[in-house]
Amino acid sequence: MTAKQPLLSVQNLHVKVEDKEILKGVDLNIYAGEVHAIMGRNGSGKSTLSYTLIGHPRYVVTEGKILFKGVDIVEMTPDQRARNGMALAFQYPVAIPGVSVSNFLRASVKAIRGKDVPVKEFRQELKAQMKKLGVADEFLGRYINDGFSGGEKKRIEILQLALLKPALAVLDETDSGLDIDALKIVSEGINNLSNPETAILLITHYQRILNYVEPQFVHVFQDGRIVKSGGGELSKELEARGYDWVLQELTSSAVS
Amino acid sequence: MSESKLINTFARERVDNLASQNGEPSWLKELRVSSWEAYLQTPMPTGRDEGWRKTEIDSLDLSTLNAIDLSTKNDLKAKLPDWFETALTFFDNHSGVVAEVGHSSISAKLSADLVSQGVIFCSIKQALHDHAELIRPYLSKIGSDQKFVLMNKALFNSGTFLYVPANVEIEGPFVSLTHFTSLNGAPNGVAIFPRLIAVLGKHSKASLVNVLSSEQGKESKSSSRSLANALVEVHVEAGAKFEYLELQKFDDNVFAITRTHNQVEQDAVIKSLTVAIGGSQLKGDIVTVLNAHGASSDLQGIVLGDTDEHYSFNTIQKHNAPNTTSNINFRVALKGNAQSIYQGIIEVAKVAQKTAAFQSNKNLLLGAEARADSIPKLEILADDVKCSHGATVGPVDREQIFYLMSRGLAAPEAEELIVTGFFRQILEACTIGRAKEWVYDVLAEKIHQV
Ligand SMILES: Nc1ncnc2c1ncn2[C@@H]1O[C@H](COP(=O)(O)OP(=O)(O)OP(=O)(O)O)[C@@H](O)[C@H]1O
Ligand SMILES: [Mg+2]
């Protein structure tokens, strides 16, 4: 153990969904101040990892550990994990008709901060963040994700994280479906989440967002585990050469 | 409660007494008596009758009930229930409040403007006294063969009358309260028979909030049942617009049987919201008759049940004329062992071509033992109609719960937010004052109760 303890330490994580093993031994350490990216083919298990981190009941940990701030969180409910400082921006956020964005934001900010924020103060903070992310006022009165376009959903996810200020933000394909301008704005939002006390785990298919949000570590996900890790340059190499290259390299190194 | 008021309800004598003690005109007595005779001729419904499924009507022992007279004295200083005082703050632009709280009756102070336009808003007793000839036709306009409607027509002794003359448009809502104490300390339950009549003259416009409630008792529900048998008759004449909100909030020893009949004439519009949030058994029929070309109705319903409350609502959308539209949106959420059955009937007469009739019923089951049934029934005789109905029954969406929990909300908080949201979508349709905020609060309060 180094002097510094990782913010998140995933150790030999195996996860089953409906009796099918999806994660097959994930190892990943993330320290405060770091930005990590995970790339990998469709269906390789990236979202499964993100759901498991935040504690979706459908994903059952069969082996291994998830240490967050040094504590094993596998038995914790999602709300406990959230209050502990973890947040996930979903690839497919669900709609909740009848629950307005503003009501929900207030409730969740209150839950995470452990105290009610005065209405006026909250509105100011909210308005400032909305402005940064280019979210129009009318969204406050709309129902969560109900009828939102793909890009709007992603912006609102980042808006929530901006208010909740998690120690670890997991972003599952937050860049998918964003137009060029939105990508820039949302990337800035993501960068604003990052500081020496926090860390970001970004799941993406595209090099483009990594031009704005620069990871120090890039991991390649394949068949339920991380098969290759490298620095920021790895993503460019992946973009140029595709996933087959990683796999070929893996098999050839295994052979040699 | 004086002994003299406790006369067994279900005797012809009672009908006679009502007529004489209120100094009612002979024609009214005749109306009461003929309703009474028809009542006697009509068999008591049973739990096997389609409209009374799951109501446990068989458990209601009429012979033990004592009818009580509400509003026997005018008392402007009578104490209103605290929650009703709170409710009134949401209707600060109201046009008048009529309240019957036990024996006390509070009459509305209408503005000189409304009075000069001929608007009437008062207790039904006062209307029978002061406006007998005006109200007279409306007492028998809507016929019925329903046992409990006939019972009400024979025995009604409280309630409200609203009369809006032709072409008068009124912004602020009228508010009516009928509140009684269902536990009288005696071994027997009590019975009340409120009757509300609203008349919207041609091209008029008004709104009304009607609250039916009983004192939350300290005794357990093992004490005997009380009966609230309410009749609401609404006449929306040609070109008129009416918005109606009804709250049923009874104590858990009350068996409430309510029947609302909306008669909607040419190009007239009715919009209504019925909210049922308490009582031992609540059986409600909401009948809307679209009687002439261009008539339309938009009805919303909310049921929030808990413990072993029982709800049985039937809506009947009756299209009697061409080019009429009706919409019903009925939502139910049940905690504990609460049960609900919703029956939605759409009837389209042969002449009612170009009719549009929609019906939706959604049920959320929150308690493990809660149960909801939804039965649509379509009787469509015309061939050129647009008609749809849909129903869902199920628990709260686990993915929604998970989403809220992942943002820090504990499971019960998450569920509460989703359930109030479920109703909020319906409340949006209600445009009376700040009614939707009030109802939202009332619902949230009940959800909080364990
Ligand atoms: N509830 C489920 N039931 C059955 N299989 C599931 C379930 N959830 C995930 N899986 C399977 O697990 C595998 C990994 O899915 P996951 O969503 O984690 O992939 P992903 O890497 O995020 O893919 P993408 O890049 O397309 O988002 C897939 O084969 C998927 O079908
Ligand atoms: Mg995914």
Side-chain angles (χ1 to χ4, degrees):
Chain A
M1 193 103 180
T2 50
K4 216 172 111 197
Q5 146 190 300
L7 182 63
L8 176 75
S9 179
V10 178
Q11 302 172 4
N12 188 34
L13 185 66
H14 290 251
V15 170
K16 270 203 319 211
V17 180
E18 278 148 32
D19 284 333
K20 182 177 162 205
E21 184 166 59
I22 310 285
L23 297 189
K24 303 169 181 170
V26 178
D27 288 289
L28 176 65
N29 281 323
I30 299 178
Y31 289 83
E34 295 179 347
V35 176
H36 290 240
I38 289 182
M39 304 183 82
R41 283 208 169 105
N42 294 131
S44 57
K46 305 179 298 297
S47 293
T48 302
L49 174 63
S50 68
Y51 276 122
T52 307
L53 288 177
I54 196 71
H56 192 297
R58 199 183 320 125
Y59 299 83
V60 181
V61 174
T62 54
E63 211 183 318
K65 280 185 184 158
I66 307 170
L67 301 181
F68 183 59
K69 298 179 176 172
V71 180
D72 196 337
I73 60 168
V74 168
E75 297 298 323
M76 285 187 189
T77 56
D79 55 314
Q80 289 170 328
R81 299 182 197 205
R83 291 196 294 269
N84 234 340
M86 196 188 281
L88 166 62
F90 291 94
Q91 182 175 5
Y92 304 110
V94 300
I96 312 182
V99 180
S100 73
V101 169
S102 68
N103 268 1
F104 166 52
L105 288 180
R106 245 183 95 72
S108 84
V109 165
K110 182 182 168 187
I112 298 286
R113 296 189 192 166
K115 60 175 195 300
D116 221 342
V117 191
V119 181
K120 227 176 131 190
E121 212 172 286
F122 176 71
R123 281 201 90 78
Q124 271 173 9
E125 189 184 344
L126 181 57
K127 287 275 156 84
Q129 292 292 356
M130 287 172 67
K131 203 167 162 210
K132 275 193 201 162
L133 289 164
V135 175
D137 278 3
E138 56 130 345
F139 278 88
L140 291 178
R142 286 179 62 178
Y143 299 146
I144 306 168
N145 297 319
D146 192 26
F148 289 15
S149 78
E152 288 165 350
K153 285 183 188 163
K154 300 302 173 76
R155 274 189 214 224
I156 301 289
E157 289 289 285
I158 296 302
L159 172 66
Q160 293 181 45
L161 267 52
L163 291 166
L164 302 180
K165 302 185 175 57
L168 176 68
V170 182
L171 308 163
D172 193 355
E173 294 199 29
T174 300
D175 55 333
S176 297
L178 292 179
D179 66 45
I180 303 161
D181 295 338
L183 181 66
K184 244 189 223 169
I185 294 167
V186 166
S187 300
E188 265 167 47
I190 296 171
N191 284 329
N192 287 336
L193 293 172
S194 166
N195 67 51
E197 264 77 61
T198 66
I200 288 171
L201 176 60
L202 184 72
I203 296 168
T204 183
H205 287 293
Y206 307 105
Q207 164 59 31
R208 223 170 24 156
I209 189 169
L210 303 180
N211 294 333
Y212 303 105
V213 182
E214 288 178 35
Q216 295 94 6
F217 304 93
V218 174
H219 310 279
V220 180
F221 223 82
Q222 179 66 35
D223 193 23
R225 55 172 85 82
I226 290 171
V227 294
K228 188 177 174 69
S229 297
E233 72 293 339
L234 179 56
S235 66
K236 297 191 183 78
E237 220 167 333
L238 282 172
E239 177 108 331
R241 305 170 71 173
Y243 291 115
D244 282 344
W245 156 73
V246 181
L247 299 183
Q248 275 160 17
E249 208 178 51
L250 282 177
T251 31
S252 59
S253 62
V255 170
S256 63
Chain B
M1 194 155 304
S2 71
E3 276 303 309
S4 65
K5 295 282 179 274
L6 296 176
I7 300 164
N8 193 301
T9 311
F10 305 96
R12 163 67 194 268
E13 200 186 328
R14 170 80 191 163
V15 179
D16 294 343
N17 276 355
L18 270 176
S20 62
Q21 113 202 356
N22 297 341
E24 291 174 350
S26 58
W27 58 260
L28 179 53
K29 184 176 173 182
E30 278 156 30
L31 278 181
R32 287 189 186 278
V33 169
S34 70
S35 297
W36 179 252
E37 315 246 279
Y39 166 79
L40 291 177
Q41 300 297 313
T42 309
M44 189 69 182
T46 74
R48 288 173 302 281
D49 292 345
E50 218 165 280
W52 290 82
R53 265 188 275 195
K54 307 218 176 164
T55 51
E56 294 181 4
I57 182 67
D58 314 292
S59 73
L60 184 69
D61 184 0
L62 296 176
S63 70
T64 65
L65 295 172
N66 286 308
I68 51 170
D69 281 322
L70 297 181
S71 69
T72 47
K73 57 175 194 290
N74 260 316
D75 180 3
L76 289 177
K77 293 195 192 68
K79 169 119 184 64
L80 294 167
D82 291 339
W83 58 267
F84 185 72
E85 294 276 11
T86 306
L88 288 178
T89 63
F90 289 85
F91 304 107
D92 44 11
N93 69 331
H94 69 72
S95 296
V97 178
V98 166
E100 296 181 314
V101 181
H103 291 311
S104 303
S105 148
I106 302 174
S107 52
K109 293 184 281 281
L110 297 190
S111 70
D113 190 32
L114 289 180
V115 173
S116 72
Q117 291 180 91
V119 174
I120 299 167
F121 184 55
C122 62
S123 72
I124 206 146
K125 270 187 190 157
Q126 197 183 336
L128 290 170
H129 194 264
D130 298 351
H131 311 284
E133 286 311 310
L134 182 70
I135 195 174
R136 183 174 175 175
Y138 298 104
L139 292 172
S140 49
K141 229 175 191 171
I142 298 171
S144 179
D145 57 359
Q146 299 284 314
K147 181 93 172 165
F148 283 86
V149 173
L150 294 166
M151 186 196 285
N152 180 292
K153 285 186 167 182
L155 296 167
F156 71 95
N157 59 350
S158 62
T160 314
F161 180 55
L162 171 65
Y163 181 81
V164 183
N167 302 311
V168 174
E169 296 193 7
I170 303 162
E171 194 44 47
F174 294 94
V175 183
S176 159
L177 169 69
T178 300
H179 182 77
F180 72 109
T181 304
S182 62
L183 298 160
N184 60 353
N188 294 341
V190 301
I192 61 158
F193 304 94
R195 183 171 183 185
L196 183 147
I197 296 175
V199 179
L200 280 287
K202 286 180 181 165
H203 302 284
S204 68
K205 185 181 170 207
S207 58
L208 171 63
V209 178
N210 183 28
V211 179
L212 299 168
S213 63
S214 70
E215 197 67 35
Q216 294 301 307
K218 287 148 216 82
E219 294 170 49
S220 76
K221 56 176 129 301
S222 61
S223 64
S224 60
R225 283 252 172 83
S226 287
L227 170 70
N229 175 354
L231 177 61
V232 174
E233 292 155 301
V234 177
H235 304 261
V236 195
E237 291 175 1
K241 289 192 170 69
F242 185 52
E243 186 165 1
Y244 178 69
L245 166 61
E246 181 175 297
L247 176 69
Q248 302 179 12
K249 182 183 188 311
F250 296 106
D251 188 19
D252 58 15
N253 74 324
V254 172
F255 198 128
I257 298 173
T258 58
R259 186 161 177 110
T260 302
H261 187 118
N262 301 312
Q263 188 81 7
V264 192
E265 301 299 338
Q266 186 175 334
D267 297 322
V269 179
I270 184 165
K271 210 162 136 175
S272 84
L273 168 62
T274 302
V275 182
I277 57 154
S280 156
Q281 301 255 326
L282 274 76
K283 149 78 174 151
D285 291 343
I286 305 170
V287 185
T288 306
V289 180
L290 301 149
N291 214 32
H293 189 275
S296 86
S297 69
D298 187 8
L299 269 63
Q300 321 284 321
I302 287 179
V303 167
L304 175 57
D306 199 354
T307 60
D308 36 25
E309 294 161 3
H310 231 109
Y311 296 84
S312 168
F313 275 87
N314 297 0
T315 62
I316 298 143
Q317 298 153 271
K318 211 175 159 86
H319 292 259
N320 280 354
N323 287 90
T324 49
T325 57
S326 69
N327 181 47
I328 285 190
N329 205 344
F330 213 93
R331 292 200 172 182
V332 178
L334 303 172
K335 297 170 67 177
N337 320 315
Q339 299 205 20
S340 165
I341 180 167
Y342 168 79
Q343 304 190 58
I345 299 167
I346 298 177
E347 288 178 24
V348 180
K350 199 156 184 190
V351 295
Q353 300 294 1
K354 309 265 184 227
T355 282
F358 308 105
Q359 185 189 94
S360 154
N361 170 228
K362 292 188 177 171
N363 300 272
L364 268 189
L365 301 177
L366 309 173
E369 302 295 318
R371 250 203 81 133
D373 291 291
S374 184
I375 304 172
K377 211 165 132 193
L378 278 59
E379 293 163 15
I380 297 173
L381 301 178
D383 48 25
D384 184 11
V385 301
K386 256 194 232 137
C387 185
S388 76
H389 64 94
T392 59
V393 179
V396 175
D397 184 341
R398 302 314 302 172
E399 293 302 316
Q400 293 180 341
I401 296 265
F402 166 68
Y403 183 80
L404 296 179
M405 287 179 77
S406 79
R407 299 284 145 83
L409 277 68
E413 267 179 283
E415 184 177 280
E416 193 178 308
L417 205 57
I418 292 167
V419 175
T420 45
F422 174 69
F423 290 130
R424 190 184 282 268
Q425 289 166 275
I426 289 228
L427 291 177
E428 293 302 343
C430 180
T431 60
I432 303 176
R434 286 163 57 224
K436 57 182 163 197
E437 290 167 51
W438 170 55
V439 176
Y440 189 84
D441 286 357
V442 170
L443 292 171
E445 194 189 325
K446 173 143 185 182
I447 293 172
H448 276 302
Q449 284 171 9
V450 184

